[in-house]
């Protein structure tokens, strides 16, 4: 009976601590907003705009920085945090080059295959505080529209001795990712190409790559190319609902100090040496002031992938190249 009452008390505390982020005009929830604490820590709202923050969990945090595509950033004090937060929509200023009339035109569908690899040691370990972007150039002066993106994933086997076999049993996982498309701003990811919130859930059933259909988003490739990025939001339950996930594990060192270690999430992201150019960029809280940096030697990056000359995350894409009028 005491255990039952304790569980009810915990549920009540979580319910009271829950905050919902909404659009100030439509009152619709703002899905998957980023809640940053200013110290490199933070969390994400779920698809209904809910997140849980309490002083018990984060006693040293006095303000939150909230951001979401298509909305003005919001700073809010944690003291007397309200049950509802309203975000102001931001005027969408997408480059006219990506806006095209929906005209029935003949086209040729083209595909750039992803680079697949199932070797654990050739993989990037995704963390919530990191974002990976890959650059793709425009291959012609004709209009080109993106239709799908193929994200390579590496599946871990429960039995490492059988991991090279196709029938080996794979570790189960259910992970939510956020995808963004950026304009090319002087060789780095710039403004977004769409303010739509694009997410997908990856599981071990996806195989070696997850295919994301983006045909309905009407994303046209700019003249100077574009970037597609991937960021892990965290694990989900069986229904695909985002679970509370911590960015860091706190470990106590031998001298008694607390060290933050980024939490890794499955699936792993395989890197490759098959791409001729170095087209992969990363953004991490503790590197280059959380600004984009090319993934290559000499940029202050410490990675075993670079030591093995693995510079690129080999994303694949399919697109339509339209014939001239």
């Amino acid at each position: 009976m005491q255990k039952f009452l304790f569980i009810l008390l915990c549920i009540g505390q979580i319910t009271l601590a829950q905050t919902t982020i909404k659009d100030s005009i439509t009152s619709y929830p703002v899905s998957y907003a980023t809640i940053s604490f200013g110290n490199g820590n933070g969390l994400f709202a779920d698809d209904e705009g809910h997140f849980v923050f309490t002083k018990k969990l984060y006693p040293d945090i006095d303000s939150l920085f909230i951001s979401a595509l298509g909305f003005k950033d919001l700073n809010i004090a944690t003291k007397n945090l309200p049950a509802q937060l309203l975000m102001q929509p931001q005027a969408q200023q997408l480059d006219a080059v990506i806006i095209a009339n929906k005209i029935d035109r003949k086209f040729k569908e083209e595909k750039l295959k992803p680079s697949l690899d199932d070797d654990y040691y050739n993989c990037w370990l995704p963390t919530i505080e990191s974002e990976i972007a890959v650059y793709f150039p425009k291959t012609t002066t004709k209009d080109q529209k993106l239709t799908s993106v193929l994200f390579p994933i590496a599946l871990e086997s429960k039995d490492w001795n059988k991991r090279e076999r196709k029938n080996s049993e794979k570790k189960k996982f259910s992970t939510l990712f956020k995808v963004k498309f950026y304009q090319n701003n002087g060789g780095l990811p710039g403004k977004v190409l769409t303010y739509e919130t694009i997410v997908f859930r990856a599981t071990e059933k996806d195989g070696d790559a997850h295919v994301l259909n983006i045909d309905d988003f009407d994303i046209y490739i700019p003249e100077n190319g574009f970037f597609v990025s991937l960021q892990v939001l965290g694990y989900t339950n069986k229904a695909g609902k985002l679970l509370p996930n911590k960015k860091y594990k706190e470990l106590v060192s031998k001298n008694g100090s607390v060290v933050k270690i980024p939490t890794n999430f499955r699936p792993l992201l395989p890197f490759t040496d098959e791409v001729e150019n170095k087209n992969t960029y990363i953004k991490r809280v503790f590197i280059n002031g959380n600004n984009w940096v090319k993934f290559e030697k000499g940029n202050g990056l410490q990675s075993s992938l670079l030591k093995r000359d693995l510079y690129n995350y080999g994303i694949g894409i399919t697109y339509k190249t339209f014939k001239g009028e």
Side-chain angles (χ1 to χ4, degrees):
M1 184 65 179
Q2 288 181 338
K3 183 177 181 180
F4 178 72
L5 290 174
F6 176 76
I7 292 173
L8 287 179
L9 179 62
C10 290
I11 293 174
Q13 287 178 336
I14 291 175
T15 302
L16 290 174
Q18 180 173 273
T19 300
T20 303
I21 306 173
K22 291 186 176 182
D23 185 318
S24 64
I25 296 179
T26 66
S27 293
Y28 291 154
V30 178
S31 302
Y32 308 114
T34 302
I35 298 95
S36 301
F37 300 165
N39 65 347
N41 213 326
L43 46 89
F44 293 101
D46 64 15
D47 58 315
E48 296 178 346
H50 301 322
F51 72 93
V52 175
F53 180 94
T54 67
K55 277 294 186 179
K56 185 175 182 179
L57 291 174
Y58 309 101
D60 59 335
I61 304 301
D62 56 13
S63 62
L64 302 179
F65 179 81
I66 302 174
S67 59
L69 279 177
F71 293 88
K72 295 180 180 179
D73 295 337
L74 178 65
N75 286 288
I76 188 77
T78 58
K79 185 177 180 180
N80 299 322
L81 188 66
Q84 179 174 288
L85 296 176
L86 300 178
M87 296 191 74
Q88 300 289 332
Q90 191 173 39
Q92 298 183 4
Q93 298 178 344
L94 298 181
D95 197 321
V97 72
I98 66 169
I99 300 175
N101 294 325
K102 292 186 177 181
I103 304 174
D104 290 331
R105 288 187 288 169
K106 292 183 178 180
F107 62 85
K108 177 183 179 183
E109 186 170 81
E110 301 183 69
K111 181 176 181 179
L112 177 63
K113 294 182 178 180
S115 299
L116 309 178
D117 194 340
D118 214 17
D119 189 336
Y120 174 92
Y121 298 103
N122 290 344
C123 292
W124 176 277
L125 306 180
T127 60
I128 286 178
E129 49 80 39
S130 66
E131 186 176 356
I132 296 178
V134 177
Y135 171 73
F136 293 92
K138 196 170 189 293
T139 59
T140 176
T141 57
K142 299 178 180 178
D143 290 339
Q144 292 181 304
K145 177 187 174 184
L146 293 172
T147 56
S148 65
V149 182
L150 296 83
F151 295 99
I153 58 179
L155 306 179
E156 293 179 87
S157 173
K158 289 185 177 180
D159 186 345
W160 277 66
N161 294 327
K162 295 181 180 180
R163 69 188 182 93
E164 297 296 337
R165 303 178 186 177
K166 292 183 179 179
N167 62 349
S168 60
E169 189 177 3
K170 304 298 182 181
K171 288 183 179 179
K172 292 184 178 181
F173 60 86
S174 179
T175 306
L176 199 66
F177 287 93
K178 181 188 289 186
V179 179
K180 295 179 184 177
F181 297 89
Y182 294 103
Q183 297 179 33
N184 178 8
N185 181 23
L188 294 173
K191 294 180 180 179
V192 294
L193 290 173
T194 176
Y195 283 102
E196 296 284 350
T197 299
I198 305 175
V199 298
F200 70 85
R201 182 165 67 108
T203 73
E204 73 283 355
K205 297 178 182 179
D206 284 315
D208 293 330
H210 180 92
V211 181
L212 178 65
N213 189 327
I214 57 169
D215 198 12
D216 291 340
F217 293 108
D218 294 324
I219 300 176
Y220 287 81
I221 301 178
E223 294 298 326
N224 60 347
F226 73 101
F227 293 84
V228 54
S229 84
L230 191 65
Q231 183 179 27
V232 63
L233 298 181
Y235 289 134
T236 78
N237 61 19
K238 292 182 180 179
K241 191 78 170 179
L242 186 64
L243 298 172
N245 294 283
K246 288 190 174 183
K247 282 188 176 182
Y248 304 107
K249 298 176 182 178
E250 293 187 348
L251 303 178
V252 180
S253 63
K254 293 181 179 180
N255 61 11
S257 61
V258 178
V259 180
K260 288 185 178 180
I261 305 296
T263 303
N264 297 323
F265 293 82
R266 299 195 308 274
L268 311 180
L269 307 181
F271 271 52
T272 181
D273 59 1
E274 296 177 354
V275 179
E276 184 176 351
N277 298 317
K278 298 171 184 175
N279 293 332
T280 297
Y281 297 73
I282 67 168
K283 185 168 68 168
R284 301 192 71 166
V285 171
F286 300 119
I287 296 177
N288 194 34
N290 199 29
N291 294 310
W292 287 106
V293 59
K294 180 179 278 192
F295 191 71
E296 65 177 347
K297 297 174 183 176
N299 279 347
L301 305 174
Q302 299 295 326
S303 173
S304 59
L305 297 173
L306 292 177
K307 294 178 181 178
R308 294 197 298 279
D309 295 329
L310 299 173
Y311 296 99
N312 289 294
Y313 176 42
I315 292 176
I317 59 173
T318 58
Y319 53 94
K320 297 175 181 178
T321 298
F322 293 93
K323 296 183 178 181
E325 296 298 334

